[in-house]
Structure formats: structure tokens, C-alpha cells
Amino acid sequence: MLRSHTCGELRLTDSGKTVTLCGWVQRRRDFGSMSFIDLRDRYGITQLSFNEDYKVELLESARSLAREFVIKIVGTVTERSNKNENLNTGDIEIVVDQLEILNASLTPPFTIEDDTDGGEEIRLKYRYLDIRRNPVKEKLTIRHAANKSIRHFLDGHDFIEVETPYLIKSTPEGARDFVVPSRLNENQFYALPQSPQTFKQLLMVSGLDRYYQVVKCFRDEDFRSDRQPEFTQIDCEMTFVERDDVLQIFENMIRGLFKESVNYDLGEIPVLTYAQALETYGSDKPDMRFGMTFNYLTQVAKGHDFGIFDNAECIIAINVTGGASMTRKEIDAITDYIKRPQIGAKGLIYCRVNEDGSYKSSVDKFFDQTALARWAEHCDSQPGDIMLVLSGDLQTTQKQLNELRLHVGDFMGLRDASQFKACWVVDFPLLEWDEETNRFHAMHHPFTSPIADDLSLIDIAPEKIRANAYDMAINGMEVGGGSIRIHDKKLQQRMFDLLGFTPEEAKSQFGFLMNAFEYGAPPHGGIAFGFDRLCAILTGTDSIRDVIAFPKNNMGRDVMIDAPSPISNDQRKELNL
Amino acid sequence: MLRSHTCGELRLTDSGKTVTLCGWVQRRRDFGSMSFIDLRDRYGITQLSFNEDYKVELLESARSLAREFVIKIVGTVTERSNKNENLNTGDIEIVVDQLEILNASLTPPFTIEDDTDGGEEIRLKYRYLDIRRNPVKEKLTIRHAANKSIRHFLDGHDFIEVETPYLIKSTPEGARDFVVPSRLNENQFYALPQSPQTFKQLLMVSGLDRYYQVVKCFRDEDFRSDRQPEFTQIDCEMTFVERDDVLQIFENMIRGLFKESVNYDLGEIPVLTYAQALETYGSDKPDMRFGMTFNYLTQVAKGHDFGIFDNAECIIAINVTGGASMTRKEIDAITDYIKRPQIGAKGLIYCRVNEDGSYKSSVDKFFDQTALARWAEHCDSQPGDIMLVLSGDLQTTQKQLNELRLHVGDFMGLRDASQFKACWVVDFPLLEWDEETNRFHAMHHPFTSPIADDLSLIDIAPEKIRANAYDMAINGMEVGGGSIRIHDKKLQQRMFDLLGFTPEEAKSQFGFLMNAFEYGAPPHGGIAFGFDRLCAILTGTDSIRDVIAFPKNNMGRDVMIDAPSPISNDQRKELNL
């Protein structure tokens, strides 16, 4: 090793030792006859001291060092007169004896500090410098710890990791496949997996009993700020299980993850039905860090000659504890927010509960104090609170009020990124009607089994069938989802049929799975977690780009290596493109 | 859970318990009033017993069960009268109370037994059934244990796993890239990585210090029996290290791997130079399980009027201990083997050492007993041995004799798949001259650093420069390789120059790496292990297909899912293909 110690490990008890350190120059401070250098590596920072009384030529060399130079020094561990309590190594410094420049550095295009002056595009282009910054390095380190925690848990519960193939078969279903032309098989293509779904089911048919994989998946979608063309899944499947077995195992896994990687106790994870989640939060991935649940005023707020309410299918309110102090300007801003086309609310009704117990609403013309008191009673509003009310048709109003709830939650500081709250959502509808294609889509995927009790609806009201499926949401973001799968060939065929597959299409795309179901396929179910999203939540960041070492930008482009890029004509010819 | 226990865990101490088991019918044996079923799952086999005296209708149901049916039973753990010592559960059986068929099975296309009647093609097509067989399941289980052992070691040595991208940039260098057309960037392509080489180097530039990844890599080569278009690497890189640090760390990792996954003690791993390996074994990946090292007879065997020897650049012998008993027919078969065009030897000279100490050679006409005694002395041949001799130009003869040595090693039973012997080979040439393209190729890759002492040769005799590179071989197969990397921009440029890159080519392909070298790139080095090959060796199989859950065949085709396959015209149009 070029070094005897890292820059994070020397302590007062090492005083007097001769050590060799390697690292990067974080900063240099020059005083009359002395210079100090903070030497940085992954493990920490150690102060180096140079003194003209000791070795004048060394001091001169030290003063030639700029930020990010890579150096190797030999020196003596010495107690510092001016201790730095913020550093683990802050009690000591190294009095340098020998200095070697291992590599010079140009001035970086942005400062390598916790708070940098570089914008995202330049930091992505020089990602290898961005990673030197603590906040980025720490996210990658937590990601590793998270990976370790999850593996440790699954290994300990008889799951075995099996690598499924990356070069698979393209299926026209679902989001778009990336395809890979085959040179050896002219005009044929592999596809990159959007998930290892069918393979993990085949592994259950193969009797492996419990499978997992930390695996890259690929989706060629138009990118949104929070999507990447390649992303990582924690993919799991189990045999001979029912829904609650899966929930219990993975609740424990996620609880362990938060405990081990960020020392946070998630507590019990409540289970909501899809219907409850929509009714209470207007969302199938509710942010459970705060209350502000929905109160249905439809009964009490109708019949007051207020046309908007009287013509609405429903009237729903949230109560904002302590929200009476919102100014008119603040309420206007919130109203503007939900009136944006993305949300599309027509307006916002509010009602303050004053400290004296009286009410002040934006619809006082229609509602007297007694009427408003009935609102307050329904919402359990207390003096100092404000009720925010939306109305309209049920589905739209729930959606809009969900957005309002989250926005006000932000406004009130209730969505603290260092607090975590998870929930399960179950009993999703199996099918969604798609107006555009005029047929059903699988809400999860075509392999999800219906809840047994609902099977009788399959011929009469398939839209009412509930899926034996479950999602986990943390802090209002979906982090995982899965289901008990279909393991019966006939039912799978019926499902493909409902989804508008011809028997030929079903056979050509999933024939191997249907075939497998003929040879003793066991009941099975599983789940997949979005590992990037989990890591983003764990590290308190909004963007999954922050927890990916080399992410792509919004156009799916790696600006550091400049990919994608044209290929040569020779290469195209070889591939018959 | 649908079961209370697995099929591998019940013991005599569980007697009297009511248990619920799920699994597959391995086999059924019917006797007059009784039937026995072996119920199988991943964890083992448990015997079920049905008796007409107990429940006659259950016995009838049991007799309707065929192989590979999936069933669930409830019953009582009972001591067996006829114990089976070959099974962990062999002391007990389950007297069945309730039987439920969870899924039926067609008769499998081959028997689900350790020794199956299915050929490889049909087993690949029904891979999910093949995996039910113990030998396949065990290989996948050992693969998982190997993965765990390696991760545990690396985690414990401060390595952090970082996921590098799969959608990267195509480089015309080296073996062929798989490319992925980008829908959002017309006429541009990503490439799938042949290895994460440049990314791991960038991670060292980023200061992450120690990186690893268990990662899929891709190579679009014409397939040989032992190649797959996608394969798994254990990819590692370290900062501030020298060659011997890397060797020591990874020797420990591999030793731990063999100990933990197959309980084998690899012992010390010797280090050979490339020159020594060729001189002694004729191979840069020698099989060290047996001796039979090369003896150079060039000096002693010339000048006997035997033209073939007299005109040869070298004459090399191996001594086969106990080989004097080879029959003429066996020697002829060995001779035929090395005369095949793939090896191309012209013929084989042999000399037996008889039990009485006299010699009998195939060239007695030219060599008398005294002359042959001198051969024996050089080869340390003892009575009962045979010397096998090849001659010709040095390089060709070494290669041919290597093939001969391995073949005779097989013949003599010296290459036992349950024995393991590793070695390091170091000091490879940096460059190879390629007659076809009339330029140098990098023997490892263009990022490998020269040995410092040889740097002075760079302008006068670049072909003599040794690389600071190392390979590990086990049982004659290369399992890993790596090097100390170049971290200096100028040297990297010089290297690209030697390899015939124009500055423009170097910049367009590796500009991001060269750029990174300008910002404080530290000295670094690393290694990558072929995980499939390692697992094949660990499990004593010749083919890496055996340790891959869903391998492709020799044409790069997945015969189970039928990939690659044509894609729709719509899909092609969207991708501008």
C-alpha cells in the first residue's frame, strides 16, 4: 500500500507514530512561517503541518500545492494545539517529513465542497468530481449499506439470489422495451428486461422456493424528472405463500433497512385498502407522515343555495391544524397552485376557526355560524385551524384534494425528509378500463391473481374484481409493489383474454410461461422494490439521480461519456441495420 | 403460509406433531393396502404414508397423484419402521390426514432425477423443470453461497458496491459491443458494457477508494461452447495500491470463497511470471494440480544424427510418473490427439524407463542407453515412468506440449474436479504485435500500466515492456485478471498512440477518462473475476451453462423463451431502424 493509514483514522493515541498518508488537497492555509493542508480521502480529513523551522524546502513545496492535487506524505502524528472537534482526527496533525506529488490537478470546474457552486449539468458532466463531495459520496455509501442490509435479511430468510438474463424477448405489452439487434440471428432482436417478472415466476415453478435479485431493469419511456432509462429493483418471489405472509416478511425487511442504514425506527406499517386510501387521502400512495385526512361534508354542506356545492357529487375538506394564521396571500398562492392545469381545481373554499371559536369562511354569504360549526364538527376543527374544501365529482375531487393536502403539508412543514412513515395499500382493482384502446388493462400486470372471493365476477363484472396485490408507499411515494400470482393455466388464459390478447398473441409472447404452468406450478407471489427510490427516500433527496453513481439526464443522455452516440457504418452493416 | 414446515426439516423429535407440508410428488410406491409418496421441495424429501385402514378415500386420492403434482397435506409426524439413512428426514414419515391437489402436472418431458434421460437441448427448453433436479439446483445454490462469500469479504475490507450504467457508449475497440438504439435520440445508440472498466477507474478518480460490483457484462462474439453473450464479473478496484497489495487481498478473497462455499482449503497461491509459466508449463494459465513440468533437452538431445531434433529450435520433454505402463495403442491415441490440426504437432517421441532401469524409446536408432540416460537425468525420470518429447520452434512446441501435458494429465487421472489449485501469473507483455492489422494490441487492455522499470523501453522496444498486470488461474483456467492502471494523462496518450489510435479517436472514445486524469487521478489498480467460470470450477462442471439459471445455447439463443426474435414494424419504425 502506498499509505500506512487512511485520512480518517489517526487519533491522539497514535501520537509519535511515523505514518504515510495519501489523499487529495482539500484546502491550504498559509501563515507566515507555516502552512496547513487538509488532506482528504474517502474516510476523512487529516491536517498536515509544514513549518519553515523544520524543513524550509518542504514548506515551499507545500505552497505549490493547489486544491485536488493528489499527494503522498510521510510524517509524525503530533497533538494539535488548536483542536478541531468537528473532525474525528481533529486532535492531531501530521508534521510532514516527506512530500510527493502523485498527480497534479487542474482547477476543478466547481468547488469540491458540501455546498458547491456547480449546477447540475456541469456536475453530471464531471460526475467523478461531484462524487468527491461529501453529500454525494454519503448517498452512495448509504446505498451500499442499504443493499447490504436487504441482502443480509433475505439471505437469512432462505432467499437465494438467482441472476436472470438481460437479453430476453421483446413483448409489445406495457411500457416500451429497449431492443438489442442480434448479429448472429439476422433481423432478430433481444430486449432488455423491464423486470424479471416471468423469470422469477419460472424459478418458483422450478422449486427454488425463495428467490431474490438486486437487478437492473430498463424502460424506454419519455423521461420525466424522476425516471431513468435504467433503474434497480429488489426483486423477490416466494412459493406457498399468501398475501399476509408476503406483507409480513417484507415489512420486516424494510424496517430492518431503515434501522440499519439510517438508524430510524419505522414502527408498525399500517395496511389500507385501496378504497380506504382513496377515501381518506385521495391517493393510493398516501403520505402518512401527517394527518389532514379527508372529511366528507357532502351531506352537511349541501342545500345552502351555494350552487357549486349543490351541484357537486361530493364536498370534501381537510383540516389544517394551526392553519388559521395563513394570510390571504398565502391562501391565494395555494389556490393558484391547485388551479394550475396539472391539478385543475376550479377554486378553493376555506373556513378559519378563530381563537374565540367563531368562523370566518370564504362563503359566509351562504353559510352562517351554525352551518360552519357543523363543518367544524365533521372535521374536528379547533380554534386556530383552517378547513380547506374542494368539491366536484368524486374521483377528481379526491385527486385534487390529495394534491392540496400534500402542498399544504409542505407549507406547514409536515413533510420532514428525515421522518419516515410507510403504509401498505391492498385490494387494488385488477383491471382498469382504458378509454383510448377501448379495453381493459391490468392495473399491476397480467400475472396478478384476482382475490378468490371475487372470481365469480369474472364473467359479469370484471371491473369490480379486486386484485390480490399490494403496494408499499413511504412518505407518499410508491416504493414497492407485488401480488400473489396466477399459477393456473386456464385462469391465466382467461386473464389474457380479458386483456384483449388473442390466443396466438398470448402464446407467442408468454407461451413458455403457460407451458410451465402445465408442469406442477405451485402457488406463489412476490414483490419488487424500486431501489433507487428507496435510496432517495433514505437519503432525504427528491431525485433518484442523486443516488445513482452515473445517472442519465432528462433526455436519457449520459453527458459525461456522451452516450447515446452514432455508431459506424461498418457496425450498422454487421447488425443489418 | 400454506405450510407449517418444509420437506427438509422434520426429525424424530417432531413425532406426534400435526404438520402441513407442500411440495411436489417425487415418486409414489403402492403396496396392497398402503401407498408411500416422496414429497419434494427445495429443502428435501419427506415420506408421506397413506393406509386404507386409516382413511380409505385418502388412499384412493393418493393413488391418483402422478409425478410432479403439487400437493398440500396435513398429517402427523410418525416414526418410521423402515428408516432411510440417506435422508435427513429419514427417521420419520407423515401419516396423512388431508390431501389437497394444488396443481396437476403433465408428464415431464424428461425425468426429474439426478441422472436424467433428457438431452441438453430439451433440458434448456424446459429449464424450469431441469432446475428441479438436485445437480442443477445445487449448482445454483453454491453460486449463491459464492456470491455471499465474496460480498461478505469485500464488505469487510471497506469495498463499497457501486452500480455502474448498462447503457453506455459504443467503442470500436476490442471484442464486439451489443448496441441499443435510442428512441429519443434518432440514429444514436447505447452499447452494453463489455466491462465497467472505465467507470470503475472514474470511481477511483472520484475518491471512493475501494469499489466492487457483481455485474453482468456483454460480448457479441461468435459463441464457443464455453462463452455466453452475457456473463457475470466480480469487478473490483482499489486506490493507492501496488501489485502485491492487490494479489494479497484477492488471494484471501478467493481462499475464503473456496473455504466457505465448498469447504476446500486452497492453501498458498504461488506467483509465477509469464516467462516462467510458459517455460515450465507452456501456458499462461497452468493447471497446477499436477507436476509434469517441462524439461528442456535441447542441449543433450541434439547431435545424434536425428534430423528432427537437430533442426529444432528446442526439444522439450515431460516426465509421466508411472507412465511406462502405457500401451502402444494408448501412445498412438495420444499421438493422434496432438496431431489434430487444432494442436498441430508433427509427432511424438517417447522413452520408457523400464523397471530394470533400461530405456526403450521410439528413437532407439539414434539414441543409445547412455544418451537416453541423460534425458532421464534431466527429467528426473524413474523406473516405471515415460518421457514424452516434442520439438520444433520454441513457442509452438511449448504450446503443443502444454496440450499434451493436459491431455496426459487427464489420461492419468491427475485432473480431479474436486481438487483445486490456483496460481497467479504476473509480468505479462504489455503489447502484442498483431500481424493482421500490423500494429500493437494491448494484451490486457489499453489502461494497463507498464512496469516502471520498463518504461525506458517505450520508445526503443515497446514489445519488451512488461505490464503491471496479473491473472489468476485455477485448475488451468483463467478465472481473473487485472492490473495497476495508468493514471497519468500523458502516459495514457502515449499508450493510445502505440496502439494506433489517432488523437481524435482517443479523444472521442476515451476523452472523458483522459479529462478525468487532469483532475487529481490517484494511482489505482484492480481486478475482475469471471464469476460464471469460478462457479463452474467450484461445482466441478466443465460448462458455465451449468451454473447459469437461464443460459443461452451456442448460437446465443434462449430456446426456452425463444429469443432473439423479430420485432414488429411499428417498433422498428419508432427506433428508426
Side-chain angles (χ1 to χ4, degrees):
Chain A
M1 304 287 280
L2 299 181
R3 65 188 172 204
S4 63
H5 296 77
T6 70
C7 295
E9 66 180 305
L10 292 168
R11 300 285 181 275
L12 205 49
T13 49
D14 297 303
S15 292
K17 280 188 190 160
T18 299
V19 298
T20 309
L21 299 186
C22 293
W24 286 260
V25 173
Q26 176 71 26
R27 73 173 66 81
R28 195 186 79 225
R29 278 152 298 148
D30 296 331
F31 302 92
S33 62
M34 303 183 73
S35 283
F36 297 98
I37 282 175
D38 283 350
L39 189 69
R40 184 195 71 233
D41 67 11
R42 172 180 135 201
Y43 310 94
I45 281 181
T46 298
Q47 176 167 299
L48 312 178
S49 97
F50 298 85
N51 187 325
E52 76 175 5
D53 296 342
Y54 182 56
K55 282 197 173 176
V56 67
E57 70 287 1
L58 260 187
L59 180 64
E60 274 164 33
S61 307
R63 288 188 173 173
S64 75
L65 300 175
R67 279 176 179 244
E68 303 306 318
F69 271 49
V70 186
I71 62 173
K72 172 181 166 181
I73 61 98
V74 180
T76 308
V77 182
T78 310
E79 181 167 4
R80 249 162 102 161
S81 50
N82 212 346
K83 296 199 172 54
N84 180 345
E85 286 180 8
N86 298 320
L87 285 182
N88 286 332
T89 62
D91 287 351
I92 60 98
E93 63 186 8
I94 313 297
V95 176
V96 176
D97 255 330
Q98 300 169 36
L99 164 67
E100 184 186 343
I101 297 178
L102 296 174
N103 216 341
S105 174
L106 297 180
T107 304
F110 50 88
T111 52
I112 312 292
E113 301 279 357
D114 290 6
D115 289 314
T116 181
D117 55 0
E120 188 176 20
E121 197 73 358
I122 189 121
R123 285 187 290 112
L124 282 180
K125 186 167 158 64
Y126 294 89
R127 183 67 167 172
Y128 45 88
L129 298 180
D130 200 25
I131 296 174
R132 288 189 191 161
R133 297 171 51 238
N134 277 324
V136 183
K137 184 187 76 182
E138 276 161 17
K139 286 185 181 68
L140 295 178
T141 310
I142 290 178
R143 184 179 177 118
H144 175 59
N147 191 335
K148 249 183 5 185
S149 161
I150 285 170
R151 287 175 178 282
H152 183 72
F153 179 90
L154 293 170
D155 290 343
H157 286 78
D158 279 335
F159 286 80
I160 71 172
E161 187 171 32
V162 179
E163 298 167 55
T164 55
Y166 279 79
L167 296 173
I168 66 166
K169 186 172 176 158
S170 185
T171 63
E173 262 307 286
R176 300 167 201 250
D177 281 336
F178 281 107
V179 300
V180 182
S182 164
R183 192 168 52 84
L184 290 181
N185 303 274
E186 195 166 339
N187 284 318
Q188 299 194 14
F189 295 77
Y190 301 101
L192 300 178
Q194 294 180 33
S195 97
Q197 182 64 32
T198 48
F199 289 98
K200 69 174 171 173
Q201 292 194 239
L202 291 175
L203 288 173
M204 296 304 98
V205 175
S206 82
L208 281 191
D209 202 63
R210 293 185 171 197
Y211 142 93
Y212 81 95
Q213 191 179 189
V214 181
V215 62
K216 275 277 175 81
C217 300
F218 304 85
R219 212 168 287 172
D220 190 7
E221 286 179 312
D222 298 315
F223 302 112
R224 288 183 264 144
S225 64
D226 202 24
R227 284 282 172 89
Q228 289 277 313
E230 52 178 303
F231 53 97
T232 305
Q233 266 187 205
I234 312 289
D235 194 50
C236 307
E237 198 77 5
M238 306 169 75
T239 300
F240 301 127
V241 289
E242 294 167 298
R243 186 193 77 185
D244 288 351
D245 304 316
V246 180
L247 299 198
Q248 195 198 320
I249 291 252
F250 291 99
E251 174 166 339
N252 287 336
M253 181 185 90
I254 293 293
R255 212 175 4 241
L257 167 66
F258 276 77
K259 191 70 196 161
E260 287 167 28
S261 58
V262 295
N263 195 27
Y264 190 91
D265 186 359
L266 261 191
E268 290 295 308
I269 300 184
V271 181
L272 285 75
T273 65
Y274 177 80
Q276 287 171 334
L278 283 191
E279 188 183 318
T280 315
Y281 299 96
S283 167
D284 60 3
K285 40 179 194 275
D287 187 339
M288 311 280 286
R289 279 174 296 184
F290 62 108
M292 240 186 256
T293 50
F294 290 9
N295 304 287
Y296 288 75
L297 303 184
T298 320
Q299 298 307 320
V300 303
K302 281 200 177 199
H304 286 257
D305 291 334
F306 181 48
I308 293 175
F309 279 6
D310 287 352
N311 297 322
E313 185 185 350
C314 71
I315 304 159
I316 323 177
I318 52 175
N319 180 66
V320 185
T321 305
S325 58
M326 277 185 200
T327 64
R328 179 66 209 221
K329 212 173 145 190
E330 287 165 345
I331 294 174
D332 285 349
I334 289 170
T335 308
D336 287 346
Y337 176 81
I338 62 167
K339 283 169 88 174
R340 292 179 316 147
Q342 300 94 309
I343 301 181
K346 299 246 167 58
L348 176 66
I349 309 296
Y350 66 84
C351 174
R352 286 200 187 87
V353 189
N354 295 318
E355 291 300 339
D356 62 5
S358 66
Y359 302 97
K360 175 75 196 89
S361 84
S362 55
V363 285
D364 282 354
K365 222 196 298 181
F366 303 98
F367 297 88
D368 59 17
Q369 292 288 310
T370 315
L372 295 173
R374 292 190 63 200
W375 294 17
E377 190 188 332
H378 263 75
C379 295
D380 197 20
S381 280
Q382 305 299 322
D385 295 356
I386 191 169
M387 291 173 272
L388 302 175
V389 190
L390 294 181
S391 62
D393 76 84
L394 179 65
Q395 223 184 335
T396 311
T397 308
Q398 284 177 336
K399 261 192 200 160
Q400 291 169 347
L401 194 59
N402 165 52
E403 298 289 346
L404 177 65
R405 174 178 177 270
L406 296 176
H407 188 68
V408 175
D410 274 332
F411 177 82
M412 301 295 290
L414 300 172
R415 303 184 71 196
D416 178 351
S418 71
Q419 300 297 310
F420 306 104
K421 193 84 190 158
C423 67
W424 289 107
V425 179
V426 302
D427 291 356
F428 283 82
L430 183 69
L431 302 164
E432 281 181 307
W433 184 258
D434 186 58
E435 300 287 350
E436 217 170 292
T437 56
N438 219 24
R439 54 173 203 166
F440 283 116
H441 276 285
M443 193 143 173
H444 274 76
H445 53 54
F447 313 109
T448 299
S449 91
I451 286 188
D453 287 348
D454 293 359
L455 256 179
S456 55
L457 298 167
I458 202 160
D459 294 315
I460 46 176
E463 73 282 359
K464 290 199 178 145
I465 301 174
R466 288 166 300 164
N468 204 346
Y470 30 80
D471 277 3
M472 181 186 275
I474 302 182
N475 292 4
M477 278 166 291
E478 184 193 327
V479 296
S483 60
I484 302 299
R485 323 299 183 185
I486 297 170
H487 65 280
D488 177 77
K489 186 179 176 179
K490 284 210 189 85
L491 182 56
Q492 186 67 70
Q493 270 171 333
R494 183 76 185 92
M495 187 72 184
F496 282 134
D497 185 40
L498 273 175
L499 296 171
F501 284 73
T502 66
E504 294 69 36
E505 283 169 346
K507 197 180 164 199
S508 94
Q509 286 168 43
F510 300 110
F512 58 97
L513 186 67
M514 311 278 270
N515 252 346
F517 283 176
E518 302 251 49
Y519 292 98
H524 61 286
I527 195 165
F529 289 91
F531 189 52
D532 306 296
R533 170 57 53 206
L534 266 179
C535 291
I537 293 172
L538 278 170
T539 59
T541 178
D542 285 334
S543 169
I544 62 171
R545 282 197 297 277
D546 290 346
V547 293
I548 295 173
F550 299 103
K552 311 248 184 317
N553 74 6
N554 287 346
M555 282 301 296
R557 178 164 286 283
D558 184 326
V559 297
M560 181 184 74
I561 62 172
D562 192 26
S565 58
I567 57 174
S568 71
N569 285 334
D570 285 357
Q571 228 170 333
R572 293 187 79 127
K573 206 176 287 171
E574 280 236 327
L575 296 166
N576 311 297
L577 296 179
Chain B
M1 303 288 279
L2 299 181
R3 65 188 173 204
S4 64
H5 295 79
T6 70
C7 296
E9 64 179 308
L10 293 168
R11 300 287 181 274
L12 206 49
T13 49
D14 297 302
S15 291
K17 280 188 190 160
T18 299
V19 298
T20 308
L21 299 185
C22 293
W24 286 260
V25 173
Q26 175 72 26
R27 73 175 64 82
R28 194 186 78 225
R29 279 154 298 147
D30 297 331
F31 302 93
S33 61
M34 303 182 71
S35 283
F36 297 98
I37 282 176
D38 282 351
L39 189 68
R40 183 195 74 231
D41 67 10
R42 173 179 134 201
Y43 310 93
I45 280 181
T46 299
Q47 176 166 299
L48 311 180
S49 97
F50 300 83
N51 187 325
E52 73 177 5
D53 297 340
Y54 183 54
K55 283 196 171 176
V56 68
E57 70 287 1
L58 259 186
L59 179 66
E60 275 164 32
S61 306
R63 287 189 173 171
S64 75
L65 300 175
R67 279 177 181 245
E68 302 308 319
F69 271 48
V70 187
I71 61 172
K72 173 181 165 181
I73 61 98
V74 180
T76 309
V77 183
T78 311
E79 181 167 3
R80 249 162 102 161
S81 51
N82 213 346
K83 296 200 173 53
N84 181 345
E85 285 181 8
N86 298 321
L87 285 182
N88 288 330
T89 61
D91 287 350
I92 58 100
E93 64 186 6
I94 313 295
V95 176
V96 176
D97 255 327
Q98 299 170 37
L99 165 67
E100 182 186 344
I101 298 178
L102 296 175
N103 216 340
S105 175
L106 298 180
T107 304
F110 51 87
T111 52
I112 312 293
E113 301 278 358
D114 291 6
D115 288 316
T116 181
D117 55 359
E120 188 175 21
E121 198 74 359
I122 189 121
R123 286 188 290 109
L124 282 180
K125 185 166 158 64
Y126 294 88
R127 184 67 167 172
Y128 45 88
L129 298 180
D130 200 25
I131 295 174
R132 288 189 192 162
R133 296 171 52 239
N134 276 324
V136 184
K137 183 187 75 181
E138 275 161 17
K139 286 184 180 71
L140 295 179
T141 310
I142 289 178
R143 184 177 177 119
H144 175 59
N147 190 334
K148 250 183 4 184
S149 162
I150 286 170
R151 286 175 179 279
H152 183 72
F153 178 89
L154 293 171
D155 290 343
H157 286 78
D158 279 335
F159 287 80
I160 70 173
E161 186 171 31
V162 179
E163 299 167 55
T164 55
Y166 279 79
L167 297 173
I168 66 166
K169 186 171 177 157
S170 185
T171 63
E173 261 308 285
R176 300 166 202 248
D177 282 335
F178 282 106
V179 300
V180 182
S182 164
R183 192 168 51 85
L184 291 181
N185 303 273
E186 195 167 338
N187 284 316
Q188 298 195 14
F189 295 76
Y190 301 101
L192 300 178
Q194 293 181 33
S195 96
Q197 181 64 32
T198 48
F199 288 97
K200 68 174 171 175
Q201 293 193 242
L202 290 176
L203 287 174
M204 296 304 100
V205 176
S206 81
L208 280 192
D209 203 63
R210 293 183 170 198
Y211 144 92
Y212 81 96
Q213 192 179 188
V214 182
V215 63
K216 274 280 174 78
C217 300
F218 304 86
R219 211 168 287 171
D220 190 6
E221 285 180 312
D222 298 313
F223 302 113
R224 287 183 263 142
S225 64
D226 202 23
R227 284 281 172 90
Q228 289 277 314
E230 49 179 307
F231 53 98
T232 305
Q233 264 186 209
I234 312 288
D235 194 51
C236 307
E237 199 77 6
M238 306 168 75
T239 301
F240 302 127
V241 288
E242 294 168 298
R243 186 193 77 184
D244 288 350
D245 304 315
V246 180
L247 299 198
Q248 196 199 319
I249 289 251
F250 291 99
E251 174 166 340
N252 287 336
M253 181 185 90
I254 293 293
R255 207 168 14 234
L257 166 67
F258 276 77
K259 190 71 196 161
E260 288 167 28
S261 57
V262 294
N263 195 26
Y264 190 90
D265 186 0
L266 261 190
E268 290 294 309
I269 300 184
V271 180
L272 286 74
T273 66
Y274 176 81
Q276 286 171 336
L278 282 191
E279 189 184 317
T280 315
Y281 300 96
S283 167
D284 60 2
K285 40 179 194 275
D287 187 339
M288 310 281 285
R289 278 174 297 184
F290 63 107
M292 239 187 257
T293 52
F294 289 11
N295 303 288
Y296 288 76
L297 303 183
T298 320
Q299 299 307 319
V300 301
K302 280 199 177 201
H304 287 256
D305 291 334
F306 182 46
I308 291 174
F309 280 5
D310 287 351
N311 296 322
E313 183 186 351
C314 71
I315 304 158
I316 325 178
I318 53 175
N319 179 65
V320 185
T321 305
S325 58
M326 278 185 201
T327 65
R328 181 66 209 222
K329 209 174 147 192
E330 287 166 343
I331 294 174
D332 285 348
I334 289 171
T335 309
D336 288 346
Y337 176 82
I338 61 166
K339 284 169 87 173
R340 293 179 315 148
Q342 300 95 309
I343 302 180
K346 299 247 167 56
L348 175 67
I349 309 293
Y350 67 83
C351 174
R352 287 201 187 84
V353 189
N354 296 320
E355 290 301 338
D356 63 3
S358 68
Y359 302 97
K360 177 74 195 86
S361 84
S362 55
V363 286
D364 282 353
K365 223 194 301 182
F366 304 98
F367 297 88
D368 60 16
Q369 293 288 310
T370 316
L372 294 173
R374 292 191 61 203
W375 294 17
E377 190 187 334
H378 263 76
C379 296
D380 196 19
S381 280
Q382 306 299 324
D385 295 354
I386 190 169
M387 292 172 271
L388 303 175
V389 191
L390 295 181
S391 63
D393 76 83
L394 180 65
Q395 224 183 333
T396 312
T397 308
Q398 285 176 334
K399 261 192 201 161
Q400 293 168 346
L401 195 59
N402 166 51
E403 298 288 346
L404 178 64
R405 172 178 177 270
L406 295 176
H407 188 69
V408 175
D410 274 332
F411 177 82
M412 301 295 289
L414 300 172
R415 304 182 73 195
D416 178 352
S418 70
Q419 299 295 312
F420 306 103
K421 193 83 190 158
C423 68
W424 289 106
V425 179
V426 302
D427 292 356
F428 284 82
L430 184 69
L431 301 164
E432 282 181 305
W433 184 256
D434 186 58
E435 299 287 351
E436 216 170 293
T437 55
N438 219 24
R439 55 174 202 165
F440 283 116
H441 275 284
M443 192 142 173
H444 274 74
H445 53 55
F447 314 108
T448 299
S449 90
I451 285 186
D453 286 349
D454 293 0
L455 256 180
S456 56
L457 298 167
I458 202 158
D459 294 315
I460 46 176
E463 73 283 359
K464 291 198 178 144
I465 300 175
R466 286 166 301 165
N468 203 345
Y470 30 80
D471 276 3
M472 181 187 275
I474 302 181
N475 291 5
M477 278 165 292
E478 185 194 326
V479 295
S483 61
I484 301 299
R485 324 297 184 185
I486 297 170
H487 65 280
D488 177 78
K489 186 178 176 179
K490 284 211 189 85
L491 182 55
Q492 187 66 68
Q493 270 171 333
R494 182 77 185 91
M495 188 71 183
F496 282 134
D497 185 41
L498 273 174
L499 297 170
F501 284 72
T502 66
E504 293 70 34
E505 285 167 345
K507 198 181 164 200
S508 93
Q509 287 168 44
F510 299 110
F512 58 97
L513 187 67
M514 311 279 270
N515 251 346
F517 284 176
E518 302 252 49
Y519 292 98
H524 61 285
I527 195 165
F529 289 91
F531 188 52
D532 306 296
R533 173 55 54 208
L534 266 179
C535 291
I537 293 172
L538 279 171
T539 59
T541 178
D542 285 333
S543 168
I544 61 170
R545 281 197 297 279
D546 291 346
V547 293
I548 295 174
F550 299 103
K552 310 251 184 312
N553 74 6
N554 287 347
M555 282 301 295
R557 177 164 288 283
D558 184 325
V559 297
M560 181 184 73
I561 61 171
D562 190 29
S565 58
I567 55 173
S568 70
N569 286 334
D570 284 358
Q571 226 170 335
R572 292 188 81 127
K573 206 175 287 170
E574 279 238 326
L575 295 166
N576 312 298
L577 296 178

